[in-house]
PDB file of all heavy atoms in Angstrom:
ATOM      1  N   ARG A  74      70.058 -67.920   0.097  1.00 94.00           N
ATOM      2  CA  ARG A  74      71.166 -68.546  -0.642  1.00 94.00           C
ATOM      3  C   ARG A  74      72.320 -67.578  -0.680  1.00 94.00           C
ATOM      4  O   ARG A  74      72.204 -66.439  -1.101  1.00 94.00           O
ATOM      5  CB  ARG A  74      70.734 -68.959  -2.071  1.00 94.00           C
ATOM      6  CG  ARG A  74      71.763 -69.726  -2.827  1.00 94.00           C
ATOM      7  CD  ARG A  74      71.272 -70.015  -4.213  1.00 94.00           C
ATOM      8  NE  ARG A  74      72.211 -70.800  -4.996  1.00 94.00           N
ATOM      9  CZ  ARG A  74      72.281 -72.113  -5.047  1.00 94.00           C
ATOM     10  NH1 ARG A  74      71.392 -72.835  -4.312  1.00 94.00           N
ATOM     11  NH2 ARG A  74      73.158 -72.770  -5.790  1.00 94.00           N
ATOM     12  N   LEU A  75      73.489 -68.098  -0.263  1.00 92.00           N
ATOM     13  CA  LEU A  75      74.673 -67.250  -0.256  1.00 92.00           C
ATOM     14  C   LEU A  75      75.182 -67.036  -1.678  1.00 92.00           C
ATOM     15  O   LEU A  75      75.220 -67.976  -2.478  1.00 92.00           O
ATOM     16  CB  LEU A  75      75.775 -67.946   0.560  1.00 92.00           C
ATOM     17  CG  LEU A  75      77.004 -67.113   0.941  1.00 92.00           C
ATOM     18  CD1 LEU A  75      76.636 -65.919   1.802  1.00 92.00           C
ATOM     19  CD2 LEU A  75      78.059 -68.017   1.596  1.00 92.00           C
ATOM     20  N   LEU A  76      75.532 -65.785  -2.039  1.00 91.00           N
ATOM     21  CA  LEU A  76      75.973 -65.469  -3.388  1.00 91.00           C
ATOM     22  C   LEU A  76      77.443 -65.176  -3.516  1.00 91.00           C
ATOM     23  O   LEU A  76      77.965 -65.003  -4.588  1.00 91.00           O
ATOM     24  CB  LEU A  76      75.156 -64.262  -3.902  1.00 91.00           C
ATOM     25  CG  LEU A  76      73.631 -64.451  -4.059  1.00 91.00           C
ATOM     26  CD1 LEU A  76      73.034 -63.178  -4.601  1.00 91.00           C
ATOM     27  CD2 LEU A  76      73.318 -65.667  -4.976  1.00 91.00           C
ATOM     28  N   SER A  77      78.157 -64.987  -2.375  1.00 83.00           N
ATOM     29  CA  SER A  77      79.561 -64.618  -2.422  1.00 83.00           C
ATOM     30  C   SER A  77      80.352 -65.468  -1.456  1.00 83.00           C
ATOM     31  O   SER A  77      79.864 -65.873  -0.417  1.00 83.00           O
ATOM     32  CB  SER A  77      79.703 -63.133  -2.071  1.00 83.00           C
ATOM     33  OG  SER A  77      79.391 -62.867  -0.731  1.00 83.00           O
ATOM     34  N   ARG A  78      81.616 -65.689  -1.774  1.00 79.00           N
ATOM     35  CA  ARG A  78      82.516 -66.471  -0.905  1.00 79.00           C
ATOM     36  C   ARG A  78      82.897 -65.711   0.357  1.00 79.00           C
ATOM     37  O   ARG A  78      83.283 -66.289   1.315  1.00 79.00           O
ATOM     38  CB  ARG A  78      83.786 -66.832  -1.672  1.00 79.00           C
ATOM     39  CG  ARG A  78      83.532 -67.855  -2.778  1.00 79.00           C
ATOM     40  CD  ARG A  78      84.873 -68.299  -3.408  1.00 79.00           C
ATOM     41  NE  ARG A  78      84.642 -69.285  -4.419  1.00 79.00           N
ATOM     42  CZ  ARG A  78      84.529 -70.573  -4.207  1.00 79.00           C
ATOM     43  NH1 ARG A  78      84.605 -71.048  -2.934  1.00 79.00           N
ATOM     44  NH2 ARG A  78      84.376 -71.413  -5.200  1.00 79.00           N
ATOM     45  N   SER A  79      82.724 -64.393   0.347  1.00 79.00           N
ATOM     46  CA  SER A  79      83.000 -63.616   1.516  1.00 79.00           C
ATOM     47  C   SER A  79      81.917 -63.672   2.536  1.00 79.00           C
ATOM     48  O   SER A  79      82.047 -63.050   3.628  1.00 79.00           O
ATOM     49  CB  SER A  79      83.263 -62.120   1.088  1.00 79.00           C
ATOM     50  OG  SER A  79      82.099 -61.576   0.509  1.00 79.00           O
ATOM     51  N   ASN A  80      80.823 -64.359   2.232  1.00 80.00           N
ATOM     52  CA  ASN A  80      79.701 -64.510   3.215  1.00 80.00           C
ATOM     53  C   ASN A  80      79.047 -63.158   3.519  1.00 80.00           C
ATOM     54  O   ASN A  80      78.495 -62.988   4.598  1.00 80.00           O
ATOM     55  CB  ASN A  80      80.170 -65.181   4.513  1.00 80.00           C
ATOM     56  CG  ASN A  80      79.033 -65.855   5.264  1.00 80.00           C
ATOM     57  OD1 ASN A  80      78.024 -66.211   4.639  1.00 80.00           O
ATOM     58  ND2 ASN A  80      79.205 -66.011   6.565  1.00 80.00           N
ATOM     59  N   ARG A  81      79.013 -62.262   2.539  1.00 88.00           N
ATOM     60  CA  ARG A  81      78.500 -60.906   2.768  1.00 88.00           C
ATOM     61  C   ARG A  81      77.214 -60.600   1.958  1.00 88.00           C
ATOM     62  O   ARG A  81      76.503 -59.703   2.314  1.00 88.00           O
ATOM     63  CB  ARG A  81      79.575 -59.890   2.456  1.00 88.00           C
ATOM     64  CG  ARG A  81      80.761 -60.009   3.410  1.00 88.00           C
ATOM     65  CD  ARG A  81      81.869 -59.074   2.971  1.00 88.00           C
ATOM     66  NE  ARG A  81      81.548 -57.723   3.067  1.00 88.00           N
ATOM     67  CZ  ARG A  81      82.351 -56.664   2.703  1.00 88.00           C
ATOM     68  NH1 ARG A  81      83.541 -56.971   2.174  1.00 88.00           N
ATOM     69  NH2 ARG A  81      81.966 -55.433   2.823  1.00 88.00           N
ATOM     70  N   LEU A  82      76.965 -61.336   0.867  1.00 92.00           N
ATOM     71  CA  LEU A  82      75.853 -61.077   0.011  1.00 92.00           C
ATOM     72  C   LEU A  82      74.957 -62.299  -0.070  1.00 92.00           C
ATOM     73  O   LEU A  82      75.412 -63.363  -0.411  1.00 92.00           O
ATOM     74  CB  LEU A  82      76.307 -60.668  -1.392  1.00 92.00           C
ATOM     75  CG  LEU A  82      75.225 -60.200  -2.383  1.00 92.00           C
ATOM     76  CD1 LEU A  82      74.549 -58.940  -1.835  1.00 92.00           C
ATOM     77  CD2 LEU A  82      75.787 -59.943  -3.752  1.00 92.00           C
ATOM     78  N   THR A  83      73.654 -62.112   0.240  1.00 93.00           N
ATOM     79  CA  THR A  83      72.713 -63.216   0.297  1.00 93.00           C
ATOM     80  C   THR A  83      71.427 -62.874  -0.474  1.00 93.00           C
ATOM     81  O   THR A  83      70.938 -61.724  -0.376  1.00 93.00           O
ATOM     82  CB  THR A  83      72.344 -63.559   1.757  1.00 93.00           C
ATOM     83  OG1 THR A  83      73.558 -63.802   2.490  1.00 93.00           O
ATOM     84  CG2 THR A  83      71.445 -64.756   1.848  1.00 93.00           C
ATOM     85  N   LEU A  84      70.921 -63.834  -1.211  1.00 95.00           N
ATOM     86  CA  LEU A  84      69.650 -63.700  -1.884  1.00 95.00           C
ATOM     87  C   LEU A  84      68.594 -64.268  -0.963  1.00 95.00           C
ATOM     88  O   LEU A  84      68.727 -65.390  -0.416  1.00 95.00           O
ATOM     89  CB  LEU A  84      69.633 -64.445  -3.211  1.00 95.00           C
ATOM     90  CG  LEU A  84      68.269 -64.572  -3.918  1.00 95.00           C
ATOM     91  CD1 LEU A  84      67.768 -63.198  -4.340  1.00 95.00           C
ATOM     92  CD2 LEU A  84      68.337 -65.533  -5.086  1.00 95.00           C
ATOM     93  N   ARG A  85      67.469 -63.550  -0.808  1.00 96.00           N
ATOM     94  CA  ARG A  85      66.372 -64.015   0.091  1.00 96.00           C
ATOM     95  C   ARG A  85      65.054 -63.969  -0.699  1.00 96.00           C
ATOM     96  O   ARG A  85      64.722 -62.942  -1.260  1.00 96.00           O
ATOM     97  CB  ARG A  85      66.291 -63.133   1.342  1.00 96.00           C
ATOM     98  CG  ARG A  85      65.194 -63.552   2.305  1.00 96.00           C
ATOM     99  CD  ARG A  85      65.295 -62.744   3.593  1.00 96.00           C
ATOM    100  NE  ARG A  85      65.079 -61.350   3.418  1.00 96.00           N
ATOM    101  CZ  ARG A  85      64.963 -60.467   4.408  1.00 96.00           C
ATOM    102  NH1 ARG A  85      65.103 -60.889   5.648  1.00 96.00           N
ATOM    103  NH2 ARG A  85      64.742 -59.186   4.203  1.00 96.00           N
ATOM    104  N   VAL A  86      64.320 -65.067  -0.663  1.00 97.00           N
ATOM    105  CA  VAL A  86      63.018 -65.166  -1.355  1.00 97.00           C
ATOM    106  C   VAL A  86      61.980 -65.812  -0.374  1.00 97.00           C
ATOM    107  O   VAL A  86      62.291 -66.803   0.233  1.00 97.00           O
ATOM    108  CB  VAL A  86      63.130 -66.045  -2.652  1.00 97.00           C
ATOM    109  CG1 VAL A  86      61.777 -66.157  -3.295  1.00 97.00           C
ATOM    110  CG2 VAL A  86      64.170 -65.488  -3.585  1.00 97.00           C
ATOM    111  N   GLY A  87      60.830 -65.146  -0.302  1.00 96.00           N
ATOM    112  CA  GLY A  87      59.804 -65.673   0.581  1.00 96.00           C
ATOM    113  C   GLY A  87      58.620 -64.718   0.717  1.00 96.00           C
ATOM    114  O   GLY A  87      58.442 -63.866  -0.120  1.00 96.00           O
ATOM    115  N   GLY A  88      57.930 -64.871   1.829  1.00 95.00           N
ATOM    116  CA  GLY A  88      56.773 -63.965   2.004  1.00 95.00           C
ATOM    117  C   GLY A  88      56.263 -64.004   3.482  1.00 95.00           C
ATOM    118  O   GLY A  88      56.654 -64.862   4.296  1.00 95.00           O
ATOM    119  N   GLN A  89      55.301 -63.079   3.751  1.00 95.00           N
ATOM    120  CA  GLN A  89      54.634 -62.959   5.036  1.00 95.00           C
ATOM    121  C   GLN A  89      53.169 -62.842   4.805  1.00 95.00           C
ATOM    122  O   GLN A  89      52.716 -62.354   3.758  1.00 95.00           O
ATOM    123  CB  GLN A  89      55.201 -61.777   5.825  1.00 95.00           C
ATOM    124  CG  GLN A  89      56.645 -61.964   6.285  1.00 95.00           C
ATOM    125  CD  GLN A  89      57.141 -60.738   7.011  1.00 95.00           C
ATOM    126  OE1 GLN A  89      57.862 -59.910   6.404  1.00 95.00           O
ATOM    127  NE2 GLN A  89      56.850 -60.585   8.252  1.00 95.00           N
ATOM    128  N   TYR A  90      52.377 -63.243   5.861  1.00 94.00           N
ATOM    129  CA  TYR A  90      50.937 -63.146   5.710  1.00 94.00           C
ATOM    130  C   TYR A  90      50.280 -62.804   7.060  1.00 94.00           C
ATOM    131  O   TYR A  90      50.700 -63.363   8.077  1.00 94.00           O
ATOM    132  CB  TYR A  90      50.382 -64.505   5.222  1.00 94.00           C
ATOM    133  CG  TYR A  90      48.876 -64.515   5.040  1.00 94.00           C
ATOM    134  CD1 TYR A  90      48.321 -63.993   3.900  1.00 94.00           C
ATOM    135  CD2 TYR A  90      48.071 -65.059   6.033  1.00 94.00           C
ATOM    136  CE1 TYR A  90      46.910 -64.001   3.727  1.00 94.00           C
ATOM    137  CE2 TYR A  90      46.732 -65.113   5.895  1.00 94.00           C
ATOM    138  CZ  TYR A  90      46.110 -64.531   4.746  1.00 94.00           C
ATOM    139  OH  TYR A  90      44.742 -64.557   4.585  1.00 94.00           O
ATOM    140  N   PHE A  91      49.302 -61.925   7.005  1.00 91.00           N
ATOM    141  CA  PHE A  91      48.514 -61.521   8.198  1.00 91.00           C
ATOM    142  C   PHE A  91      47.134 -61.166   7.743  1.00 91.00           C
ATOM    143  O   PHE A  91      46.945 -60.504   6.758  1.00 91.00           O
ATOM    144  CB  PHE A  91      49.188 -60.367   8.892  1.00 91.00           C
ATOM    145  CG  PHE A  91      48.345 -59.736   9.945  1.00 91.00           C
ATOM    146  CD1 PHE A  91      48.245 -60.320  11.244  1.00 91.00           C
ATOM    147  CD2 PHE A  91      47.557 -58.610   9.720  1.00 91.00           C
ATOM    148  CE1 PHE A  91      47.451 -59.757  12.218  1.00 91.00           C
ATOM    149  CE2 PHE A  91      46.783 -58.024  10.674  1.00 91.00           C
ATOM    150  CZ  PHE A  91      46.711 -58.606  11.921  1.00 91.00           C
TER     151      PHE A  91
END
Side-chain angles (χ1 to χ4, degrees):
R74 186 182 181 90
L75 193 63
L76 298 181
S77 67
R78 291 185 178 276
S79 62
N80 203 23
R81 296 171 66 182
L82 186 63
T83 304
L84 171 67
R85 180 172 66 174
V86 180
Q89 291 178 261
Y90 180 82
F91 169 82

